[in-house]
Structures are given as C-alpha cells and as structure tokens.
Amino acid sequence: TFIGHNLSVGNVVVFAISTTVGGVIIVGSYDVVTVTDANNFSITAELQATVSDTVAMNGGNAELVYYISLGPPPLGEGYGLGDYGIGGYGTGIVPADQTGTNITALDWTTDNWGQLLVACPMNGGIYYWDPIGGFVNSQIVPEAPPFNSGIFVSMSEQILVAYGSTVHQDIGYQQQPLLVQWCDVSNFFEWNATSVTQAGNFTIPIGSAIMAGLAVSNQNLIFTDLDLWAMSYVGPPNVFGFNKIGAGMGAASSHSVQQLRGSVYWMGRTNFYSYTSNGANVISCSVWDQVFQNINTAYLQNIRSMPNTPYNEVGWLYPSAASTNGECDSYVKMNISDQGAPWDYGMLPRSAWIDQSVIGMPISATPAGIVYSQETTPDADGQPLVSSFTTGYFYLAEGEDYAFVDQIIPDFKWSTVTGGASAQIQISFNVTNYPGDTPTVYGPFTVTSANEYISCRFRGRLMSITIASADSGSWWRIGSIKYRYSQAGRR
C-alpha cells in the first residue's frame, strides 16, 4: 500500500529499508506485477511467505537524513573568553557544539578538483571541501547521485566520474554496481544529461561490479571484478566511449590499482597486471605461491596498493590467511627498474598507504592507527630494523656435478655515500643436493666491510643465500657475491 503511487505494471519500486513480513525479507528493487488500485500494487518476492501478515516498512516511520556542514566556530559571549580571564571568574558563555553523527565508512575514494577536495565514502554520497571556503568539514553535493562505490576526476575534460552509481526508479533510488555516471564539464553540481550538458551515464555490460576507476594519460580506466575497460572522451553527444581492453583482468579492490612512471599496475583475484604502452598484460610473479596461496579471500576488498616512487617499486598490502579480522598484515612488491622485475614479500601491518607527495616520502598507517613516514631512516621507529631475504636456489655447477665450495667473497655497499655506520651483515648458505630436499644450513657468518672473504667448507648441487642484519643506524646494499668451488663428483 502506497497512497497515490501512480505506478504501472513493469515499473520498478525500491524498498530502501530491510523489512521482514510473513517470514520474507523485502529489500532492494522489485518489478510491479499487478496494480490493484491507485493506492495498492503487488510485487513478487524471491521466497515463499510462511504466514500471512501485514507490516509497515521501518515501523511506519519516515527516515530523514540531514547532511550538516559546519562553518567557522562562532565567538563566545561574556567577559573573560580572551587572554585576560580564562579562569573560573570570567569564562563567559561558550557556544554549543553542533550535534550529529560523524560520517563513517569502511573505505573512501578521493580526488582533486582544482583546489577542492572531492570525496566519496563507499556506497555513499559525494562531498567536496574548499580549503578557503570557511567550512570545517566537507559539504555534500546534493545534485550528485546519492549512492556510489567510488569517484575520480577525468582529466581529459574536468568531469567528475562516479561508478557503482545510482538511478532514480519509479519509486526510490537504486544503486547499480555496473553503472558509470558523470557530471557536466567543470560543474559537479550538474548531473542531468540534456542537449546542453555533457553529463551522462553508461552501464558496463559484463561483470558483477565495478571495483575501481582512475584517470590516466588521455583516457580513463574502469576495472570490474572481471575485466579492464577504457573510458575515452569522444565529445558530445555520447561524451565517452567504452571499450574492453583487458579480458579477465579485473581488480581485487577499490584501492588495488596504482600508477607509477606512466604505467598502471594492479592486483586481481589470481594475478598481477600492468597497463603500459604495450597494452594490458599479466605480470610474471616469482612469489605467486606465497601471495595467492596465503591470502584471506574473505577480505579481498581490504587490499591496498603501496607505490613507492623514490625506489621505483609497486606493491600491495593484503590480509594473509592468518589475519582473521581482515586487516592487512602482509606485503608483496616489485621493482620495475631492475631487469627481470625482482619481487619480495613479507609481514607488514599497514592498512593505508600514500605515495610520496609535497610533504615528503610515502606515508602509511597501521591497523592500530599509528601513522608512519616511510623511507626516512634505516631503523624501525627508533629500534633496529630486523631485515632479511633469501634468494632462490641456483646450481653451484653445470649439469649433475656436485661442487665443493671453500671460499665466499662478499660484495656489498656498507654505508651511504655520505658515510654513517658501517653495516654488520649475517650470511647463511642453504645447500641441498636435490630440489625439495631439506637444506643443510652453513652459517650465519658475520661480515663487515673489513672482511675480504669467508672461509667455509660445504659440498652440494644447489644453494640459496640468506642475508640478514639487525644493527642500528646502518645501511647496506648487496652486490654480486662470488664463491670459489671445484668439482667434487656426482655421488
């Protein structure tokens, strides 16, 4: 029952607030099946009702949500609010704080619109904040779609793009996970598509949901859970054209995509991908097993990219299988400047990451709320940075020959070019005869810049090297480690 509904058969009605009636939960959008009269119509639920019942949605109450923008705090009244009488004598009348509930969200997408900040809480509205506008917090854009998965600014023309956006049905608003909407050129207060505006919309035809979107050189990219789409500006009347350019290359989360050195890199559900001048491609990953066999798939939406421009690294933070609450506790990263694109992985509790900016090196935050400035010291928040890595196995000699090694020549940079503490490094050698065997470990051998070589005695066919350090204030870089060996038969 809806007084004066003005509906016809086939119209769409959105029930915004979940309501249980007759053992059936009614929520979301439904087609009108029959129209009884001007005040009554019927829909079809997905499940059979268990009893006959009559219930009013939301208990019969209307729900009004106000979005309050806080202006500059007003001055108080009275004798002693200035420097003179802050004490008990002259506190005067302090203005009351604005009441309300702060906006909270599991995730936000943000972008710059000139000097303005535009922001969207996941599945929420679109807000903007002007640093010189006088408001303490951001203001909602009332003309924008009320529910969106995320936003970005298209730089081919200054157009705000919303994905996972909203359409107004015959009654109510419905969020559609594959809908892309955009505003008029240089005006995010105008979203109506008319003959005199460039606002518009497009529904991606394949996939379940749009996961992410961003602007790159001369085009925009839209990532669904399945594919990669190019969103290119073509001008009126269509404004944007859409083409699938990466089949099976969907993104894992809204923040799993990053740009570095003119290319785009992202993490999907089962692979890493790149979009370069050579098109969209799968990235070969030497540590694939360590990541995708040890990830909590129930919390893929928490994956965060971690670009590190000063060191030419792209990386991702993700929740491992051990992360029962879904917070990111692990990382995997790749150096794009080295031949062969070396990978590494490890444990790192970080829930957010921002690349270098005008304020300096990358900034990260832990799940506990501690904010760190990365890459500013060789230590870990005042404590020695315990670091280590282990190479893959390599053959000591050609073919089936065993080798006997009696001397290792370490090759490192031991400090920065400006000097500083000389590093102290521990080197271990993991030796085995066949792949998969439990290795025999020789070491660790502690070496410094004073050590020209390491005397050792071991025999085998395969070897990997573990290098570690745990001293304060030191910096080091590995070079090309050499070893002296002789053939020692095949048995």
Side-chain angles (χ1 to χ4, degrees):
T1 300
F2 193 100
I3 305 301
H5 56 67
N6 197 33
L7 295 172
S8 302
V9 173
N11 286 167
V12 177
V13 178
V14 179
F15 294 86
I17 299 177
S18 178
T19 303
T20 301
V21 53
V24 177
I25 298 176
I26 303 297
V27 65
S29 61
Y30 295 83
D31 292 334
V32 175
V33 178
T34 61
V35 176
T36 306
D37 53 43
N39 301 324
N40 295 276
F41 62 92
S42 68
I43 61 173
T44 300
E46 295 180 356
L47 299 176
Q48 182 72 35
T50 57
V51 296
S52 178
D53 197 5
T54 300
V55 174
M57 185 171 64
N58 198 33
N61 298 319
E63 180 182 74
L64 301 177
V65 179
Y66 297 90
Y67 297 92
I68 303 173
S69 299
L70 303 180
L75 297 175
E77 300 177 359
Y79 173 71
L81 284 176
D83 294 335
Y84 175 69
I86 295 296
Y89 173 70
T91 53
I93 302 173
V94 179
D97 292 334
Q98 176 67 56
T99 59
T101 301
N102 291 330
I103 296 172
T104 58
L106 295 176
D107 212 342
W108 291 77
T109 48
T110 61
D111 210 337
N112 291 98
W113 181 281
Q115 70 174 6
L116 304 182
L117 171 69
V118 287
C120 175
M122 179 172 283
N123 301 323
I126 298 174
Y127 301 81
Y128 73 99
W129 181 72
D130 187 343
I132 61 174
F135 285 92
V136 176
N137 62 345
S138 58
Q139 306 171 69
I140 195 167
V141 181
E143 297 84 359
F147 309 107
N148 308 274
S149 298
I151 60 168
F152 65 91
V153 176
S154 173
M155 300 310 298
S156 50
E157 296 284 342
Q158 192 180 32
I159 294 176
L160 183 59
V161 179
Y163 54 87
S165 196
T166 316
V167 294
H168 184 235
Q169 298 292 8
D170 300 288
I171 294 181
Y173 285 92
Q174 179 187 16
Q175 187 176 5
Q176 296 187 349
L178 290 170
L179 176 65
V180 183
Q181 291 203 90
W182 57 90
C183 72
D184 194 12
V185 175
S186 302
N187 183 10
F188 57 63
F189 294 106
E190 179 57 75
W191 293 79
N192 292 319
T194 68
S195 60
V196 295
T197 72
Q198 293 196 41
N201 60 76
F202 180 84
T203 299
I204 302 293
I206 302 174
S208 299
I210 298 175
M211 305 303 295
L214 78 164
V216 296
S217 299
N218 301 318
Q219 64 180 342
N220 307 310
L221 298 179
I222 301 293
F223 301 81
T224 71
D225 56 332
L226 296 181
D227 306 310
L228 169 64
W229 290 73
M231 176 183 176
S232 304
Y233 182 76
V234 296
N238 294 327
V239 185
F240 287 103
F242 292 78
N243 292 287
K244 184 167 65 174
I245 58 174
M249 294 184 175
S253 73
S254 60
H255 289 289
S256 64
V257 184
Q258 59 196 293
Q259 296 186 68
L260 189 68
R261 309 296 188 206
S263 298
V264 180
Y265 303 86
W266 69 100
M267 182 176 177
R269 292 176 175 267
T270 57
N271 270 302
F272 298 101
Y273 306 96
S274 67
Y275 182 60
T276 67
S277 57
N278 295 321
N281 296 282
V282 176
I283 305 175
S284 177
C285 177
S286 58
V287 296
W288 188 97
D289 293 335
Q290 296 294 336
V291 178
F292 291 102
Q293 292 182 11
N294 184 38
I295 189 171
N296 191 331
T297 55
Y299 295 97
L300 293 180
Q301 72 272 14
N302 290 344
I303 293 173
R304 296 289 185 269
S305 60
M306 48 176 293
N308 192 346
T309 297
Y311 291 90
N312 302 310
E313 292 175 342
V314 293
W316 292 267
L317 301 159
Y318 65 93
S320 71
S323 176
T324 57
N325 62 358
E327 292 287 359
C328 295
D329 61 356
S330 303
Y331 78 90
V332 59
K333 60 185 174 71
M334 175 188 72
N335 191 302
I336 66 171
S337 63
D338 286 356
Q339 186 175 7
W343 291 81
D344 69 278
Y345 65 94
M347 304 296 294
L348 186 67
R350 297 288 189 273
S351 58
W353 184 283
I354 300 174
D355 196 8
Q356 71 170 10
S357 64
V358 293
I359 61 176
M361 301 296 275
I363 296 174
S364 67
T366 71
I370 301 174
V371 178
Y372 284 107
S373 180
Q374 302 286 152
E375 310 292 4
T376 57
T377 170
D379 294 329
D381 194 16
Q383 300 298 317
L385 179 63
V386 180
S387 61
S388 70
F389 69 86
T390 300
T391 69
Y393 280 93
F394 55 90
Y395 283 96
L396 289 167
E398 295 295 331
E400 298 182 356
D401 290 334
Y402 286 70
F404 176 78
V405 178
D406 67 347
Q407 189 177 95
I408 304 289
I409 302 176
D411 181 17
F412 294 89
K413 286 185 178 294
W414 300 96
S415 63
T416 64
V417 295
T418 58
S422 180
Q424 187 176 85
I425 300 172
Q426 287 75 46
I427 305 179
S428 300
F429 304 96
N430 315 299
V431 181
T432 184
N433 295 330
Y434 294 95
D437 283 357
T438 300
T440 300
V441 179
Y442 297 87
F445 300 94
T446 299
V447 294
T448 67
S449 58
N451 294 98
E452 295 180 344
Y453 60 88
I454 301 171
S455 294
C456 57
R457 293 176 63 86
F458 57 81
R459 177 182 180 274
R461 181 183 284 133
L462 296 164
M463 179 174 72
S464 76
I465 303 174
T466 298
I467 302 174
S469 70
D471 51 340
S472 299
S474 68
W475 180 97
W476 56 271
R477 177 177 293 161
I478 188 173
S480 178
I481 297 177
K482 306 293 192 300
Y483 55 93
R484 186 172 69 181
Y485 75 97
S486 61
Q487 291 186 356
R490 298 187 179 182
R491 295 184 60 186

